[in-house]
């Protein structure tokens, strides 16, 4: 890879050749892929993007794959960025865009990392990939691997919602539901991967995954015609997503395509917020209970705290924690004001943005992007909790009138 210099440990600085099956540094630190930006500047120009396919691989010169690597077949990336005028007004910011990453092929932002994992596994000549996940990394790996003809072993905590399990089974993965926390699940997968030598798609172990996730940042900026928003809000679990987002933004700055960087808004669940707490207390992170219904970010022992904390600090970012109730309120708010359906962790970024606006921590002239990271169909039970049950009536117009009257619904007044 002419454009990649090496993989460097974020802890001790040791450099490694960027071989396809990289994992952590010998010191236990996480690796970061280092690029030759001067070279990239000489071979990639904004105009080159015009006639490329609309998927994450359109930024290939900024991605750590060989020029001749066979890319996985599912169409990942280029999710819509909607301008949300009504919601912007309601929250009190000048402009707001919703990036709906729940519209990826397996319905979450994790597809960006999993497509990268499949590409790198292909380079490594691997036929089996494994991962442990709170759910979405698993379902996206299973889907992207199935499309590429690779087999998967997947470890999920037993609390994973049915929608995600249904996807896994449908994609033909070998699924191990671990009776324990995400921490327990991760540990069992680590032992199994070591025992059987599978290609490792565990986030924060495999340094290429963040490079896939960074394409969400590249896309947001291209979709905004390289006009930099003041803030980007996103939910945080292990920390790989926010770290990836930040890496993408910094890449664009490094090649001179943007002239400043947005501030990140890191949103965690109040019941599980070890990364935000470390930032707020300016202290090392400590494990927390996994006490939230937003299963995708219920990560008590984060796998990528170093990169995530660096991203929040480096962007002069804001942190905010939201309760489960605030998450469910945001889910309904996005649905009713934008027609965007997110899973609880998917809408947590928006819940945090709303809270910061209410606290007066976001200036009224600000421009903001909120990333919805996963689709609401992943977790239907909580969606119904957020939005309630339908009006149930017998097939009788009289009874319908009565039901409307009971609920204060006045159909005539709203028509015409
Ligand atoms: C994984 C995930 C996140 C958080 O990403 P991390 O890398 O764990 O911080 C947020 N939302 C959804 C829907 C996810 O699946
Ligand atoms: Zn190291």
């Amino acid at each position: 890879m002419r454009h990649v210099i090496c993989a460097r440990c974020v802890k001790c600085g040791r450099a490694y050749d960027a071989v396809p099956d990289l994992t952590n540094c010998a010191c236990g630190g996480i690796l970061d892929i280092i690029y030759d930006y001067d070279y990239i500047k000489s071979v990639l120009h904004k105009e080159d993007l015009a006639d490329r396919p609309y998927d994450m691989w359109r930024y290939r010169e900024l991605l750590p794959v060989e020029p001749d690597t066979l890319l996985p077949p599912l169409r990942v990336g280029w999710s819509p960025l909607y301008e949300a005028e009504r919601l912007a007004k309601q929250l009190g910011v000048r402009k707001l865009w919703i990036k709906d990453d729940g519209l990826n092929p397996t319905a979450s932002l994790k597809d960006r990392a999993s497509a990268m994992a499949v590409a790198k596994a292909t380079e490594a000549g691997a036929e089996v990939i494994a991962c442990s996940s709170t759910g979405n990394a698993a379902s996206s790996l299973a889907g992207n691997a199935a499309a590429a003809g690779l087999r998967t072993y997947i470890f999920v905590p037993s609390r994973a919602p049915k929608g995600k399990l249904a996807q896994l089974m449908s994609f033909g993965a070998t699924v191990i539901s671990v009776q324990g926390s995400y921490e327990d699940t991760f540990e069992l997968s680590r032992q199994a991967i070591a025992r059987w030598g599978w290609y490792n798609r565990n986030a924060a172990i495999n340094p290429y995954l963040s490079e896939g996730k960074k394409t969400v940042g590249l896309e947001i900026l291209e979709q905004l015609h390289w006009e930099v928003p003041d803030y980007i809000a996103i939910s945080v679990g292990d920390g790989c997503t926010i770290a990836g987002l930040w890496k993408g933004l910094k890449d664009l700055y490094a090649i001179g395509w943007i002239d400043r960087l947005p501030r990140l808004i890191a949103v965690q669940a109040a019941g599980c917020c070890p990364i935000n707490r470390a930032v707020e207390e300016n202290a090392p992170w400590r494990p927390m209970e996994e006490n939230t219904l937003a299963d995708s970010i219920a990560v008590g022992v984060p796998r990528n705290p170093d990169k995530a904390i660096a991203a929040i600090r480096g962007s002069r970012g804001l942190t905010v924690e939201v309760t489960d109730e605030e998450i469910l309120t945001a889910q309904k708010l996005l649905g009713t004001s934008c027609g965007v359906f997110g899973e609880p962790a998917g809408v947590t970024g928006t819940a945090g943005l709303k809270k910061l606006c209410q606290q007066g921590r976001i200036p009224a002239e600000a421009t903001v992007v909120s990333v919805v990271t996963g689709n609401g169909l992943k977790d239907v039970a909580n969606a119904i909790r957020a939005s309630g049950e339908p009006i149930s009536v017998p097939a009788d117009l009289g009874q319908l009138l009565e039901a409307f009257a009971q609920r204060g619904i006045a159909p005539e007044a709203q028509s015409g």
Side-chain angles (χ1 to χ4, degrees), residues 9 11-14 16 25-29:
C9 175
K11 237 186 199 146
C12 75
R14 180 164 166 191
Y16 293 81
C25 178
C27 83

Side-chain angles (χ1 to χ4, degrees), residues 67-124:
D68 58 350
T69 299
L70 204 60
L71 299 175
L74 292 184
R75 202 218 65 166
V76 176
W78 206 258
S79 61
L81 183 77
Y82 299 119
E83 179 159 9
E85 285 180 33
R86 268 189 313 274
L87 188 55
K89 202 164 280 170
Q90 211 173 323
L91 298 185
V93 293
R94 186 157 63 85
K95 279 187 182 293
L96 172 63
W97 294 269
I98 302 296
K99 174 77 168 163
D100 189 1
D101 239 46
L103 294 186
N104 275 303
T106 78
S108 82
L109 188 150
K110 295 287 195 301
D111 280 333
R112 299 176 186 274
S114 291
M116 179 61 75
V118 170
K120 297 308 286 185
T122 307
E123 283 181 6

Side-chain angles (χ1 to χ4, degrees), residues 1 291 412:
M1 293 183 284
N291 209 346
E412 295 91 348

